[in-house]
Structures are given as C-alpha cells and as structure tokens.
Amino acid sequence: MDSTSTPSAAEPGSQTAPSQLQFTGNAKEYFGIWIVNILLTLLTLGIYSAWATVRTRQYFYGHTVLDGHRFDYLATPIQILKGRLLAVGLFVIYSVVSGYFPLVGAMMAFALVFLVPWMINQGLKFSMRMTRYRNIRFAFKGNLGEAMVNFVVLPFVSIFTLYLLMPWVLKRIDAYIHSNIRYGDKPVQVQLEGKEYYVAALLVILLGILVMMLLGLAFSLVGGININPDELGTVNFGVFLIVPLYLFVISALQGIYQAQIRNHILNNAQIEDVAEFESNLAPQRYALILATNAAAIVLTAGLAFPWAKVRKVKALAGATQVMLLPGADQVLDNAQQADSSFAEEAANVFDVDISLT
Amino acid sequence: MIKGYFYLPNSSRVQQSYARLSGERIAIYVDDECVCESMQTALNVAAHLPGQASELNFADGARFVPHDVAYRWPFQQRKSGLLARLESNLVLILCALFATPVLLYALLFKLVPSIAVTAVKAMPDVVVEQMGQQSMVLIERTMLSPSELSAQEQQAVFTLWHDTVSQLGLSAERYRIDVYRSDHFGANAFALPHGQVVVTDELARRLADHPDALRAILLHEIGHVERMHSVRLASQAAVASIAIAMLLGDMDIVAEVVLGSGSALMDLQFSQNMEWEADNYALMQLERLGYSGEDFAQALESLVPLDEAQSQSWLKYLSTHPSLQERIEHARNHTTP
C-alpha cells in the first residue's frame, strides 16, 4: 500500500524522473461502498444518491496518487443534492410535457440545444473546482461563445459534410476543454492534431463494419435461430444474446478510440514549468479490458461493476506518467468564487469526462 | 508522533512533518520547528474512506495527511467513521445484496405503476385532449399521407363507424375516424387518447368484404380509448423515467443499458396487458351488439398473412401485440355464457 514518496518540497531538488500515476484502491473496498450506496439510495428514493456520488468520487480521487500525494474531491453532498433536485425537477417537467404534449416537448428539446453549451461549461467549472492536488484546486475558464461554436454550431455544420468534419470537430472540442483548464494560476497547454482523430475514427469505423459483417455471417450460418414471434414470453433468449454482444463490441470499439485519443492528448499537454504528461495506453489492451468488463457486468447482473471500474481505473493510471518540473512547488491558488452544482448535474448527462483516471 | 505531509494554505508547497498530540492541542513540526498549532476542537477531520489516511484540515486552509493510510485520530467525531463501518460490514453487504433486487423490483414494478395510475385518475380532460391532438399532428406529419381510397370505399368505413359508435351510445363528437395511407403502419388501425381513430388504406381494403371484422377491430381501438391506455402508458413512461433519473447517481453506460432494457420490458408487459384489455372490451361490446367472437377471430385471421411476411425480421420478436394465434383462440373461446 505504501506509495513511493519522493523528496519533498522542503528539500529543493528538481525532479527529472517521471512519476508514475498510481491507483491504490481495490475492488473489495469499493464493492462495499458501491452496494451500500445502492441500498441507501433505494431506501431513500434517490436522496442518498448525492452522498453516494461524493463518497464514490472521494474514494477514487483519494486513491489516485501522484508523487506520494493524493487527489481530493471537495464537493459536498448538499451541493450535489441541490443540483440533482433541480435537474430532476426539470426532467420531470420535460417528461410530463413530452408525454402529454408532444409538440411542446419537441420545442423544449429544441430550446435545450442552446442550453447545452452553458451547462457543459458550468459542469466543467464545478468539477474542476472540486478537484484538488497538493492544496491547489483546478479551474476551468471556458467561455460561452466558444462552447456554443464547438458543441453546437460545428457538430451541426458537420452533418452537412456527411460527418466528414466530425473528427476535426472532436479535436476542436478536446482542445477547447483541455486548454481552458488551470491548475491554480497555471494554464494547461495542448497541441492537438486533427490527423490523429481521423486515424482513430477511421480505424474504429472500419473495425465496426468488419465486426458487423462477421456477426451477420455468423448469424446467417447459425441459420435463422428462427425466432418466432408467437413464442414471445416477456423475455426472449434473443435479448440475452444480442444485448451482451452489442455491449461487448461497442465497449471494445470505444476502448480503441479512447485509448488513442487519450494518448494523443496527454502526450501533447503540459502545464508550463509545472508538469508534462505521458500516456502509453495500448489500444488493443484497453479495448479488451472495456469489452471484458462489459461482459462481466452483464453476466453477473451488475455485481461485477465495482471490480470492472477499479480494473479500468488501474489500467488508466498504470499507463500514465507525469514529469513534475521545478515550478510544481510554486503554484498559487487564486481565489475561487462559488458556483452552482445544478449545472454540473445537468452536464453529467453529457458525460464530459476529463479526470486523469 | 505521527509522520505525514504538511500542505501550506493556497500553495502547492508540501513539507515532510510530524504531528504531536498533547491534551486538547495538536502541533505540527517541520525539522523540530513548530509550524502550526491548533485546538483539536477547531480542526476538521475528513471523512473516513477505506485505505485512505485521515487528514486534518486547519482553519487557515493548511492540511496534515499522515503517511500511514490506516491511521485514525483519537479525537474524531464518532459519526465520521459510521459509513466506513457500514461499508465494510459483511452482514450488511450480504443483506444489501438480497435487498437491492427486491427493492428495485418493488420500485419499478409496483410503486411506479401505482403512481402512474393515480396520475391517470387525476388527469383533467383538457390534458387528454391536448395530448391526443398534438400526437395526431406529429404522426400525421411524419407517418401518414392522404388516403388513396375512393370516396365510396372511405364512406363504407365512415358509415360502419357511425353506426357502431351510436349503437354503443358513445359521443359522436368525441369519437372521430379518419382514413390515411401509411407505408409506416401497413395494414393497421390505431387510436389516440382523445378519441381519434385512424384506419390505414391497406387495412380498409383488406377488410372491405368483412365489415364485421372491421367492426371488431374498431371496437378494439375504442377499447384503448375507453380504458385510457395511451394516458396510462405516457404516465407510466414519465414516472419510470423520473424514478430512473432519481436512482442513477453516476453510473456508466452499462448500468444505463441494463436499467433501460428493464424499463422497456416493463412497458412491453404493460402494453401487452392493454392489448388484452382492448380485446376483451371489443368482445364484450360485440356481444352487446349481437355479434360473436367469431367475427373478431376472422378479422384477426385476415391479418395473419401480413404478419408472417414481417416475421422474417428478427426484431419482430419484441412486437408489442400478443401473438395473433393466441388472440384468435381467445376470441373464439369468448362465448356467451
């Protein structure tokens, strides 16, 4: 369990060797947290989910160790709960309206498109401000105009290019997110290349087509497991075959794409005079991890979730090195003003994930 | 003497240090020099997490984190360790393993439907009317095109409809029928919650020589309206999605797929029951009008060839209707006592 502690700031001596990012948690501990979280969430009809979120994040952040120091998650359950209640309230209104007044619902959905960039920004601001390393909080400085361009305008435009622009748009989005992160008063810099995104996207699309063809072939060979609609109970074995298979393939493809992009971003990101990053996550290995994780979760009716999550995070941390530069000891925290977590909750829907692990 | 890191306020500087407890006070030393001192009561001890050292937060923002991850301070609040104790308690974990599926089932399959039913009962007519009209606008724009049947063929349907509605003593104002061409629906009929029924060209043509069969199908659709099925489905879907939104703290894609398919199955079961309810309504009214279940059985039989053409696609197994064969038998067995 003991983490490698390196010479501390008290003994100035700039470090040259990169530090390995470590994850020191384990599946057994997290399983207990996870199952108790679920039980209490069900018993409190969802109220406890805010505590559950904080507890889970604290566990994962606190077990992510760099250079002997752990990360901290600082949000309080009440902040999350307020946001969640607001988000659920909005969602209630939306589902009721779209269920009973489909036209009004459609208009609401349209209006939502314009809220999305704001929510993503707010969500990033919140989650960055709630992340701390060595008494310095992270921050996010994105502005609404740029978010609007990157999250709404460009994806919309790319539709008319038959999505040919999409990888470039994804590059823009990643560049926007990462170059607006601050560690205390130090900005993160990234230099991303569209080419990498095109290579990753092309690879995933070609693999996807190949897998579909193979599956189609396999299905036709097995020769119409002649699924008869007349034998329909509420459950059909076809579902048990299709859903896990679908998840398995999707997870594998996700793994390949994510690994390549993550390597590209981290290898081309640095915080001037503070840190340089290095990521060597093998795409095929990460794909296998995600795919087997998905399969394990489905086959164990969800019980393998904690094990799967810990396994994934360990793999990510294991593939990450950080070169701490002399300036790492002189970062100052600029004052942070409070912000709403409502937006974070809402933005969680869009799953903008930028944590190190 | 407890060894650990001392983090200075608002700075990334860290110092190797050790903490000394003496009575009510605690002092942090770096190289035998005291850098920070505080009453134990003025400190905040962070929440316990398994495998993580318990850190001290000083009032000025400085922090002390012991090197020993298992270290626990003697003066912490009792409750800070409660969750950690629960989470490592084997008996509780086992109980949770059994209780979770039971609770999930109770919530999704018992509580949600009962809330939905309550919501339906409290539903004002205005809402039902709006819901129907707006759905009609959407469906008409996206899936229907003007009928290509001759005026005569259409009139046959209208006449049959008006006769049936007036014989049942239902409001002719509320119950309207229209004929549309639809490639999307094929030979089909559907009803919207405010009493609007739509029959497709293909179905009207197929049943042109079986007016009794068409009547049976129209009655089935009226049954959907009378039993408020669409309203119930909408309420069910809304309540279920709210419940799921409440429960999903931060799970990932897999959990969403599992829960999502669970709620889809729930909807499926729900609408299956509704089809039977509508069939029973139709059979009951047919008897009132002096017809037999045989007409209904015939109507369904004329749909069989179509159904077989579609069952090629394997997606069909999630069809929302009970199997035709079952329904035909059900209709034949529905004899007047």
Side-chain angles (χ1 to χ4, degrees):
Chain A
M1 277 312 269
D2 208 334
S3 50
T4 55
S5 47
T6 47
S8 75
E11 319 154 23
S14 67
Q15 291 186 269
T16 44
S19 316
Q20 174 68 47
L21 189 69
Q22 293 174 303
F23 183 73
T24 55
N26 65 56
K28 187 168 152 275
E29 284 169 353
Y30 178 48
F31 186 87
I33 294 176
W34 177 77
I35 193 80
V36 169
N37 277 347
I38 291 183
L39 181 71
L40 292 177
T41 299
L42 287 172
L43 285 175
T44 57
L45 295 180
I47 302 292
Y48 187 79
S49 71
W51 278 257
T53 299
V54 169
R55 196 103 185 122
T56 304
R57 295 247 170 103
Q58 280 176 339
Y59 184 80
F60 279 90
Y61 281 49
H63 275 294
T64 304
V65 178
L66 176 65
D67 188 34
H69 308 288
R70 66 194 193 191
F71 283 76
D72 302 294
Y73 183 68
L74 301 171
T76 60
I78 296 295
Q79 281 175 309
I80 302 268
L81 183 66
K82 276 185 202 156
R84 200 156 285 185
L85 286 176
L86 266 167
V88 168
L90 264 187
F91 184 67
V92 168
I93 293 170
Y94 176 72
S95 7
V96 168
V97 166
S98 63
Y100 300 125
F101 312 113
L103 275 181
V104 182
M107 282 183 235
M108 269 179 89
F110 187 72
L112 193 70
V113 167
F114 292 94
L115 269 181
V116 166
W118 178 80
M119 290 198 293
I120 291 177
N121 269 358
Q122 294 301 308
L124 286 166
K125 278 182 185 160
F126 184 85
S127 53
M128 284 290 102
R129 213 183 46 254
M130 295 303 160
T131 308
R132 183 176 63 187
Y133 177 70
R134 288 190 179 190
N135 253 2
I136 300 287
R137 290 172 175 225
F138 286 79
F140 181 77
K141 296 283 179 220
N143 66 57
L144 195 56
E146 269 188 273
M148 189 62 101
V149 169
N150 288 315
F151 292 110
V152 178
V153 178
L154 289 177
F156 184 70
V157 169
S158 87
I159 296 172
F160 299 104
T161 62
L162 299 175
Y163 290 107
L164 287 175
L165 264 185
M166 207 61 204
W168 176 77
V169 174
L170 290 172
K171 184 210 94 170
R172 290 263 324 220
I173 288 176
D174 280 342
Y176 165 76
I177 291 172
H178 291 86
S179 61
N180 281 302
I181 295 174
R182 302 272 181 285
Y183 176 61
D185 52 359
K186 305 282 192 198
V188 172
Q189 293 138 347
V190 284
Q191 308 79 29
L192 301 182
E193 306 252 340
K195 188 177 67 134
E196 298 280 341
Y197 284 77
Y198 277 95
V199 170
L202 202 64
L203 185 65
V204 167
I205 288 168
L206 289 177
L207 278 173
I209 292 171
L210 188 71
V211 169
M212 290 229 294
M213 274 162 53
L214 286 175
L215 282 181
L217 194 69
F219 268 110
S220 63
L221 281 181
V222 176
I225 308 171
N226 210 353
I227 297 164
N228 187 349
D230 288 0
E231 285 170 13
L232 178 75
T234 44
V235 189
N236 188 301
F237 74 91
V239 181
F240 287 117
L241 195 67
I242 302 289
V243 170
L245 207 60
Y246 167 82
L247 273 174
F248 188 84
V249 172
I250 290 286
S251 304
L253 293 176
Q254 227 182 1
I256 288 175
Y257 181 84
Q258 283 175 355
Q260 292 185 78
I261 297 303
R262 180 184 196 269
N263 289 343
H264 178 61
I265 293 175
L266 283 179
N267 291 333
N268 293 287
Q270 62 279 328
I271 305 174
E272 199 179 346
D273 203 29
V274 173
E276 284 170 5
F277 306 91
E278 205 176 299
S279 168
N280 49 6
L281 185 63
Q284 63 279 13
R285 186 171 158 260
Y286 191 56
L288 194 64
I289 288 175
L290 289 196
T292 44
N293 273 358
I297 290 170
V298 171
L299 292 176
T300 57
L303 286 181
F305 180 81
W307 168 83
K309 185 163 175 175
V310 166
R311 181 170 171 238
K312 173 181 154 183
V313 170
K314 271 203 151 103
L316 287 171
T320 312
Q321 284 84 37
V322 181
M323 181 90 78
L324 289 167
L325 304 173
D329 297 330
Q330 279 103 51
V331 182
L332 293 174
D333 199 352
N334 31 18
Q336 312 256 8
Q337 72 291 358
D339 224 321
S340 78
S341 75
F342 158 59
E344 187 205 24
E345 259 314 295
N348 271 343
V349 176
F350 303 97
D351 208 17
V352 185
D353 192 12
I354 41 173
S355 52
L356 267 173
T357 58
Chain B
M1 199 171 88
I2 304 109
K3 284 189 170 171
Y5 281 125
F6 182 66
Y7 296 84
L8 285 90
N10 299 332
S11 140
S12 61
R13 288 200 54 204
V14 190
Q15 295 169 316
Q16 287 281 15
S17 62
Y18 57 90
R20 273 215 179 106
L21 297 170
S22 54
E24 294 288 291
R25 307 187 70 76
I26 185 163
I28 310 290
Y29 291 86
V30 175
D31 300 334
D32 297 330
E33 185 189 339
C34 178
V35 290
C36 176
E37 202 179 7
S38 164
M39 294 291 290
Q40 285 165 12
T41 46
L43 284 174
N44 169 304
V45 182
H48 283 205
L49 284 139
Q52 292 179 24
S54 152
E55 73 178 30
L56 297 179
N57 293 300
F58 292 92
D60 64 354
R63 291 186 299 136
F64 177 81
V65 180
H67 288 321
D68 175 7
V69 292
Y71 187 76
R72 297 292 178 253
W73 301 95
F75 52 85
Q76 351 192 259
Q77 305 88 333
R78 313 129 313 278
K79 70 176 174 69
S80 62
L82 173 68
L83 273 175
R85 280 201 299 279
L86 289 179
E87 286 157 357
S88 55
N89 181 325
L90 201 62
V91 177
L92 182 77
I93 288 176
L94 283 175
C95 287
L97 277 177
F98 285 107
T100 299
V102 174
L103 280 169
L104 259 179
Y105 175 84
L107 212 66
L108 287 182
F109 289 80
K110 295 283 180 273
L111 189 68
V112 166
S114 72
I115 294 176
V117 167
T118 317
V120 172
K121 285 197 181 118
M123 192 70 59
D125 286 346
V126 183
V127 174
V128 177
E129 184 67 28
Q130 276 298 316
M131 178 180 164
Q133 281 180 1
Q134 295 191 13
S135 312
M136 186 65 194
V137 171
L138 281 178
I139 294 172
E140 203 175 3
R141 293 248 167 102
T142 52
M143 301 171 197
L144 304 176
S145 41
S147 172
E148 291 169 0
L149 294 180
S150 67
Q152 198 186 346
E153 283 171 310
Q154 288 191 44
Q155 195 51 52
V157 176
F158 294 147
T159 311
L160 182 72
W161 173 256
H162 291 305
D163 290 352
T164 311
V165 169
S166 64
Q167 277 172 328
L168 291 176
L170 296 168
S171 139
E173 206 172 303
R174 179 157 185 245
Y175 281 96
R176 288 154 303 215
I177 195 164
D178 283 300
V179 186
Y180 284 94
R181 200 195 85 149
S182 172
D183 300 333
H184 175 83
F185 289 111
N188 216 330
F190 61 89
L192 290 164
H194 61 315
Q196 167 81 57
V197 172
V198 171
V199 174
T200 64
D201 284 6
E202 213 173 326
L203 186 78
R205 216 177 271 136
R206 186 169 285 278
L207 294 181
D209 304 333
H210 306 280
D212 292 349
L214 182 59
R215 181 184 297 106
I217 288 193
L218 295 179
L219 281 171
H220 172 95
E221 296 309 326
I222 292 176
H224 277 313
V225 179
E226 284 289 299
R227 300 274 184 269
M228 297 188 84
H229 285 164
S230 327
V231 188
R232 268 162 57 187
L233 266 182
S235 309
Q236 173 89 1
V239 178
S241 57
I242 291 161
I244 287 170
M246 292 283 293
L247 296 180
L248 277 177
D250 46 356
M251 297 198 194
D252 67 359
I253 169 179
V254 179
E256 281 173 41
V257 169
V258 172
L259 268 176
S261 49
S263 76
L265 277 177
M266 188 172 68
D267 278 355
L268 192 71
Q269 220 179 0
F270 211 65
S271 53
Q272 290 251 350
N273 291 339
M274 287 181 174
E275 292 306 323
W276 288 117
E277 262 185 41
D279 273 7
N280 286 334
Y281 176 90
L283 291 164
M284 211 169 70
Q285 302 302 339
L286 279 169
E287 269 171 39
R288 262 186 59 194
L289 302 176
Y291 299 94
S292 70
E294 183 58 34
D295 301 305
F296 196 41
Q298 272 178 17
L300 294 173
E301 269 174 346
S302 70
L303 296 175
V304 168
L306 285 167
D307 197 55
E308 275 166 0
Q310 285 177 319
S311 67
Q312 294 303 327
S313 79
W314 56 267
L315 273 174
K316 188 72 184 143
Y317 66 75
L318 277 182
S319 113
T320 51
H321 281 64
S323 88
L324 278 174
Q325 233 39 55
E326 276 181 68
R327 292 176 68 192
I328 291 165
E329 260 162 54
H330 181 77
R332 290 226 158 92
N333 296 337
H334 190 94
T335 45
T336 337

